[in-house]
Amino acid sequence: MSQDKYNKLWKALGIAVLFAIPLVISDRYFLHLMVMAGIFVMLTSSWNLLTGYAGQINLGHAAFYGIGAYTSALLVMKVGISPWIGLFMGGFVSAFFGLLLGIPSIRLSGPYLAITTIGFAEILRLVAMNWVELTRGSLGLYGIPPLTAIKLSPGFSIEFTSERNFYYVLLIAIFLTLFCFKRLVQSEFGITLKSMRDDEPGAESIGVDTTRYKLAVFTISAFFAGFAGALFAHYQRLVSPDTLSLGETFTILTMTMLGGLGTLAGPVVGAILLTFLSEGLRFVEDMVKLNVRMVIYGFLLIITILFMREGVVGLFSHYRRSGDTGQ
Amino acid sequence: MESLFVQQVVNGIIIGSIYSLIAIGLTMIFGVMKICNFAHGDYSMVGAYAAVFVMAWLPGWFGWIGSIVAAAAAVGILGVITERLVFRPLLTRRTDIDIIMVSIGLFIVLENLSQLVFGATPRMLQDPFGSATVNLGLFSTSILRLFCLAFSCIAMGFLHLFLNRTQTGIAIRATSQNRNAALLMGIDISHVYTLTFALGAGIAGIAGVLYGTLFAVFPTMGALPTLKAFVVTILGGMGNLRGAVFGGFILGVAETLGGSYISMQYKNSIGFVIIILVLLIRPNGLFGRREGT
Amino acid sequence: MDILRTDKLSKWFGGLCAVKEVSFSLVKGEIMGLIGPNGAGKTTLINLISGVFPPTNGNILYQGKNITRLKTHSLNKMGIARTFQIVRIFKTLTVIENVLTAMVNRKTYGPWSLAWGSLFKRSGAFTDNKDACVKAEELLDFVGIGEYRDELAENMPYAFSKRLEIARALATRPEVLLLDEPSSGLNPKEQNDQVEIIKKINQQGTTIMIIEHVMKVIMEISHRLIVLHYGEKIAEGEPEKVYSDPKVIEAYLGGDADA
Ligand SMILES: Nc1ncnc2c1ncn2[C@@H]1O[C@H](COP(=O)(O)OP(=O)(O)OP(=O)(O)O)[C@@H](O)[C@H]1O
Ligand SMILES: [Mg+2]
């Protein structure tokens, strides 16, 4: 009981700190990094649900990110809907594509599925590159409107063009996302995903309709990735086909593996760690005049998999025991 | 019109032969060790750089032959090193995710390390035929391209002989077909693993020299061939060598035809479209055996 | 009264006929043994009945309903559970979680309603659910592995992982339980324990069909036997009679010579 209370206390403290950060630190670049880390938290967590919990190797996750970003941007710019609705449209359209990508997963697994998902993302990236009338090709869409200001009273409204205000929107989005994932993972749904991941025929034998579960988890995961993409579009106000690239997916999965695949806290820790690590490395690069950053990423990924099976989160084993209550 | 068609088919066969050569190592490694190596194309990249250095020393034909040998040796050794350090420790765990991820890590390291070491500027490999071309009526092509085709076919022929006629080769095939039975027959599995990697990577290194001579040599040149090799491997059924050879030619021809008759921009996605369609109908590839429980 | 019946069931794998026009019926409440030399098609027959793949020809009736083309998960929801020759437990879950996951009511709730419902559930993690845990513990005690409750399934000794698989199957409350070599690879003591467990399950009213190579086990527990040889049913009846049937002896001797 008291353990529980401690956990609650820590959580409350953590949340308070997160909300206080922009009040204390006003450095815009730092806040920008926090925002980027936050967007990656949503991406890694959604990838983790699909690959870490459900065992469906998806190497095209950036496609969902890109779909969400392009959908919202285009709907807002060409149709004129509100960016706030655009966020959800980005999520839903991405979810639909998730469902589509789920179809091959019914019969494919392991490497076959991995390649199919890469193919899916590459095809979409080429569409984004070449459908110039719609997407402006490799130039990307620019001048995407920011989230519209909320008018509180005639003389007072909240704008979302600053890093700080966007940070709060994102923070709320992340809390909602992580709340959903925590509930999902700890529920009957979550244990079913894990069963399916560990042994598909075994899961079928206890009544799991693996087909429907795969479709469901692809859809859910894609929704959140798409939502993150839409957020990104209205934050950065620029999306290019690079959003859908294999490199972007590799970043997502490096972060997740580093933090700890198949744990709730892992993707969060990994996304934050790598975002700031890569900034730190930028300084190192400036000093040694060499692009060592990506090399270090790669080594980190290899070392994590070889020596830290459960990532950084796994190193704190008491955390792991209560791994699913983390965050 | 007709001659364009023939021309494209010939081009496709030529590039396809290189795809086959790269894919054959990938599929062999998968067959024997169930490893899906996303860094495979980087073996080709390293091979191509080995050639860049040899050719800087030795011009002309000697340089070219020397670089094939150097590429095969250097990349073969690199293959063994990566097998021992990166893949071997994971074999007892054997989860697809770990193996795929670790190879992606390797891919990131190799690609960026070579960017550090060699710089991003593309290098050209010298054409030993001095860009001579032949015109055979229906199509014309450079002698270099024909030579690459012939060379890959010969390399594949030698591999075929090696796998079917030598003790070691038969041990590799036996392990690929049934690991446990191979163990029982007293085959030294660890040895076979090392050898398979040396061989698979070495061939990819050779393919890298051909690929680099036809196009250019640069640090990120391995990514596309990796994806192509995977497409080929899946078309042919993973672990199926003959399938990989056919798959390579099919992909090469489909790409050049698709590139000229459908859309140049989408050329690189044609392979993916094909495998997605194929996998929807045959989950184990065109030539794959149907698996059961 | 038969609870399950097959009618001229055949399964071809390419040019190989693994099961050939096999008809038999399973009487409610019995333990039926299924024996035959290696490669006789026993596992294939169980795979057909449990819906792993559809038969090439023939029908399967369960409680009067035609279930020939239903999938494994639907069959499980109708009351057919199974274990596997090579254990297929959920390795990264704990022992009790293996049983808990089998207790989820998947008949009523599909993935979407479970997922959606979970968002509004305030009772905490499913694996902490008291009632479910009590029932799961009962099952673990029933097969005698209660003390391993919180162990990771992959760390279980082999014999116990086989029992865990049985407990997991029971957690789905089956009418018919199909067991594929539940005591292969066990030592004699463990085999005896396994026999006791299977008998207990049967006494609680579950109909059992069991594949087994260990003759002592099969003779002791089955009420009836059928024998497969090259996919064909070559004998059926009381264990003693079948055991001394010349055709069966021939099959086993021939089978041994083959192997
Ligand atoms: N999915 C499959 N695809 C192709 N052939 C199969 C498949 N499953 C089984 N077979 C073949 O069918 C035959 C019967 O196999 P089965 O596994 O049913 O035998 P079994 O009686 O269970 O043998 P054992 O006692 O060794 O378990 C064998 O020749 C086997 O190779
Ligand atoms: Mg069997």
Side-chain angles (χ1 to χ4, degrees):
Chain A
M1 271 296 122
S2 77
Q3 181 71 36
D4 222 44
K5 268 201 182 125
Y6 264 118
N7 279 343
K8 282 226 172 84
L9 201 69
W10 278 115
K11 249 183 229 173
L13 205 67
I15 292 172
V17 168
L18 283 174
F19 271 95
I21 284 176
L23 304 176
V24 183
I25 305 173
S26 56
D27 180 40
R28 285 185 55 192
Y29 192 64
F30 176 78
L31 288 177
H32 168 73
L33 286 182
M34 289 297 283
V35 168
M36 287 318 293
I39 283 172
F40 273 108
V41 166
M42 295 185 67
L43 287 173
T44 51
S45 297
S46 60
W47 185 72
N48 184 43
L49 184 75
L50 183 55
T51 303
Y53 282 98
Q56 306 300 307
I57 304 179
N58 176 13
L59 298 184
H61 205 62
F64 298 139
Y65 179 48
I67 290 168
Y70 272 103
T71 303
S72 186
L74 287 171
L75 283 178
V76 172
M77 291 165 79
K78 310 239 151 149
V79 185
I81 65 169
S82 152
W84 292 100
I85 297 171
L87 295 181
F88 288 93
M89 292 310 293
F92 284 123
V93 171
S94 171
F96 173 73
F97 277 90
L99 187 67
L100 282 187
L101 186 59
I103 294 171
S105 84
I106 295 168
R107 293 175 74 189
L108 305 177
S109 64
Y112 292 94
L113 181 59
I115 300 296
T116 306
T117 55
I118 291 186
F120 166 79
E122 278 296 293
I123 291 170
L124 285 175
R125 189 178 66 85
L126 287 173
V127 171
M129 291 272 282
N130 295 311
W131 193 351
V132 179
E133 308 89 85
L134 188 71
T135 63
R136 285 201 269 223
S138 53
L139 286 177
L141 288 172
Y142 47 85
I144 302 168
L147 294 175
T148 30
I150 299 177
K151 270 210 177 66
L152 288 183
S153 66
F156 183 71
S157 64
I158 307 175
E159 306 266 352
F160 295 97
T161 43
S162 72
E163 283 82 7
R164 177 195 291 181
N165 288 357
F166 194 87
Y167 173 90
Y168 284 116
V169 174
L170 187 63
L171 206 55
I172 291 166
I174 290 174
F175 277 128
L176 285 176
T177 306
L178 293 180
F179 170 81
C180 290
F181 284 155
K182 184 179 168 188
R183 285 273 167 99
L184 281 175
V185 160
Q186 294 182 341
S187 70
E188 288 94 326
F189 181 76
I191 200 171
T192 309
L193 293 186
K194 290 191 242 174
S195 311
M196 181 171 83
R197 167 192 72 191
D198 282 2
D199 196 306
E200 231 179 278
E204 281 272 337
S205 83
I206 56 164
V208 178
D209 185 347
T210 51
T211 301
R212 292 185 58 204
Y213 271 89
K214 285 180 187 172
L215 292 177
V217 73
F218 261 99
T219 310
I220 295 171
S221 168
F223 174 84
F224 286 97
F227 195 88
L231 275 169
F232 172 77
H234 295 294
Y235 170 72
Q236 196 75 11
R237 301 172 60 186
L238 171 101
V239 277
S240 74
D242 284 346
T243 350
L244 296 97
S245 69
L246 202 51
E248 203 70 25
T249 299
F250 286 175
T251 308
I252 295 172
L253 62 91
T254 307
M255 287 172 165
T256 315
M257 300 303 289
L258 179 68
L261 185 71
T263 61
L264 273 173
V268 181
V269 173
I272 297 172
L273 215 59
L274 209 61
T275 306
F276 283 91
L277 183 74
S278 100
E279 275 316 300
L281 288 174
R282 222 181 270 265
F283 280 114
V284 178
E285 282 183 342
D286 285 344
M287 279 195 314
V288 297
K289 300 270 182 293
L290 282 175
N291 295 320
V292 289
R293 199 154 51 109
M294 289 308 289
V295 180
I296 292 178
Y297 265 38
F299 272 119
L300 265 181
L301 185 54
I302 294 177
I303 289 167
T304 309
I305 293 163
L306 289 184
F307 303 111
M308 312 190 298
R309 243 188 120 167
E310 283 155 64
V312 173
V313 173
L315 293 180
F316 303 92
S317 52
H318 74 277
Y319 234 89
R320 192 186 57 206
R321 267 282 141 230
S322 58
D324 284 355
T325 51
Q327 190 43 52
Chain B
M1 196 63 208
E2 197 161 64
S3 86
L4 172 69
F5 180 79
V6 176
Q7 178 75 50
Q8 293 303 345
V9 170
V10 171
N11 288 345
I13 289 175
I14 291 167
I15 186 71
S17 70
I18 299 182
Y19 291 162
S20 301
L21 203 54
I22 301 179
I24 222 168
L26 186 71
T27 209
M28 192 164 75
I29 290 171
F30 182 84
V32 173
M33 303 172 76
K34 300 287 169 284
I35 284 175
C36 239
N37 187 359
F38 276 86
H40 196 74
D42 292 302
Y43 293 146
S44 301
M45 178 268 295
V46 174
Y49 271 104
V52 168
F53 284 100
V54 173
M55 284 192 194
W57 280 77
L58 272 174
W61 269 104
F62 282 117
W64 208 84
I65 293 169
S67 44
I68 290 282
V69 176
V75 179
I77 292 170
L78 177 68
V80 172
I81 294 174
T82 50
E83 191 266 325
R84 283 289 154 125
L85 291 184
V86 178
F87 292 109
R88 182 70 65 96
L90 287 179
L91 282 187
T92 45
R93 263 194 247 161
R94 241 179 221 301
T95 67
D96 286 336
I97 295 184
D98 282 342
I99 290 176
I100 289 176
M101 297 302 157
V102 93
S103 76
I104 289 175
L106 189 62
F107 157 81
I108 298 176
V109 168
L110 287 177
E111 193 165 273
N112 290 285
L113 207 56
S114 67
Q115 195 130 16
L116 271 185
V117 178
F118 306 123
T121 343
R123 318 270 186 102
M124 303 313 277
L125 285 177
Q126 184 197 357
D127 175 353
F129 298 98
S131 322
T133 57
V134 283
N135 195 330
L136 294 175
L138 276 175
F139 65 93
S140 72
T141 186
S142 65
I143 300 188
L144 174 70
R145 288 175 153 253
L146 283 183
F147 178 78
C148 282
L149 173 63
F151 194 89
S152 344
C153 291
I154 291 170
M156 288 188 275
F158 269 109
L159 183 69
H160 180 78
L161 284 182
F162 174 77
L163 288 176
N164 286 288
R165 296 289 158 79
T166 66
Q167 278 283 317
T168 339
I170 290 167
I172 290 181
R173 287 198 316 142
T175 314
S176 173
Q177 267 154 25
N178 188 336
R179 204 173 141 268
N180 291 332
L183 261 173
L184 288 178
M185 280 160 54
I187 290 175
D188 180 355
I189 298 281
S190 161
H191 196 71
V192 167
Y193 285 172
T194 309
L195 211 85
T196 307
F197 248 91
L199 205 60
I203 296 169
I206 296 175
V209 181
L210 302 182
Y211 197 82
T213 321
L214 288 185
F215 305 104
V217 183
F218 49 98
T220 52
M221 67 181 271
L224 217 49
T226 303
L227 293 182
K228 304 263 154 107
F230 266 107
V231 169
V232 168
T233 309
I234 283 183
L235 268 183
M238 299 197 71
N240 184 336
L241 293 175
R242 203 164 304 163
V245 175
F246 285 119
F249 287 115
I250 292 175
L251 178 66
V253 173
E255 268 186 10
T256 45
L257 287 182
S260 57
Y261 290 106
I262 303 173
S263 148
M264 200 58 206
Q265 283 97 345
Y266 290 99
K267 189 176 148 199
N268 283 330
S269 68
I270 285 169
F272 288 125
V273 174
I274 295 177
I275 55 161
I276 290 174
L277 292 180
V278 166
L279 288 178
L280 282 178
I281 300 160
R282 290 186 63 104
N284 291 313
L286 271 187
F287 306 96
R289 274 170 283 164
R290 295 231 162 165
E291 266 176 69
T293 28
Chain C
M1 234 289 282
D2 35 328
I3 187 164
L4 188 131
R5 197 154 58 80
T6 72
D7 181 27
K8 292 202 172 161
L9 210 56
S10 300
K11 179 70 186 177
W12 289 81
F13 293 116
L16 176 99
C17 190
V19 170
K20 200 175 206 168
E21 303 205 334
V22 172
S23 305
F24 73 88
S25 52
L26 195 59
V27 179
K28 195 171 166 68
E30 76 171 339
I31 299 182
M32 189 178 82
L34 173 57
I35 61 172
N38 285 104
K42 305 179 296 293
T43 301
T44 307
L45 185 57
I46 287 220
N47 282 344
L48 288 172
I49 298 172
S50 64
V52 171
F53 34 58
T56 318
N57 278 309
N59 286 308
I60 310 168
L61 296 173
Y62 171 68
Q63 294 180 331
K65 287 185 284 281
N66 189 335
I67 57 160
T68 311
R69 283 177 190 273
L70 294 187
K71 293 269 177 55
T72 309
H73 65 85
S74 322
L75 294 173
N76 179 259
K77 286 166 192 150
M78 294 170 73
I80 300 177
R82 68 169 293 179
T83 65
F84 297 86
Q85 185 168 352
I86 301 158
V87 281
R88 286 190 171 280
I89 48 178
F90 306 127
K91 289 193 187 129
T92 68
L93 301 187
T94 65
V95 168
I96 192 163
E97 283 171 345
N98 265 271
V99 177
L100 282 170
T101 182
M103 288 169 49
V104 174
N105 180 358
R106 300 195 168 87
K107 217 166 172 171
T108 334
Y109 303 109
W112 285 106
S113 50
L114 284 184
W116 186 248
S118 75
L119 299 183
F120 306 102
K121 198 180 271 174
R122 307 202 52 202
S123 53
F126 167 64
T127 48
D128 295 337
N129 183 323
K130 284 261 162 46
D131 297 340
C133 282
V134 170
K135 281 192 198 132
E137 280 161 10
E138 272 170 20
L139 275 172
L140 290 179
D141 288 334
F142 180 79
V143 298
I145 53 173
E147 76 222 68
Y148 289 92
R149 186 184 188 279
D150 294 314
E151 202 65 48
L152 275 186
E154 66 182 336
N155 299 336
M156 290 278 278
Y158 182 70
F160 292 168
S161 66
K162 292 217 125 180
R163 292 197 205 165
L164 174 58
E165 215 185 25
I166 294 178
R168 184 182 73 182
L170 289 178
T172 65
R173 304 154 168 265
E175 299 273 335
V176 173
L177 182 59
L178 311 169
L179 299 169
D180 196 346
E181 305 202 12
S183 55
S184 68
L186 306 190
N187 66 33
K189 156 97 180 44
E190 292 164 346
Q191 282 174 5
N192 280 337
D193 294 343
Q194 205 77 327
V195 166
E196 289 315 310
I197 292 167
I198 294 167
K199 278 185 177 163
K200 266 197 298 180
I201 297 169
N202 182 242
Q203 275 154 18
Q204 297 184 349
T206 311
T207 311
I208 293 176
M209 179 163 160
I210 172 175
I211 298 179
E212 196 48 84
H213 275 301
V214 184
M215 274 306 154
K216 195 172 79 60
V217 172
I218 205 86
M219 297 303 285
E220 188 180 335
I221 58 175
S222 32
H223 304 132
R224 240 154 32 93
L225 271 186
I226 63 174
V227 186
L228 284 189
H229 185 43
Y230 288 124
E232 284 181 273
K233 187 177 87 175
I234 56 166
E236 172 170 11
E238 286 168 22
E240 286 75 22
K241 280 212 191 101
V242 167
Y243 197 53
S244 50
D245 187 328
K247 264 199 286 185
V248 177
I249 296 170
E250 163 80 33
Y252 267 86
L253 291 180
D256 277 348
D258 251 285

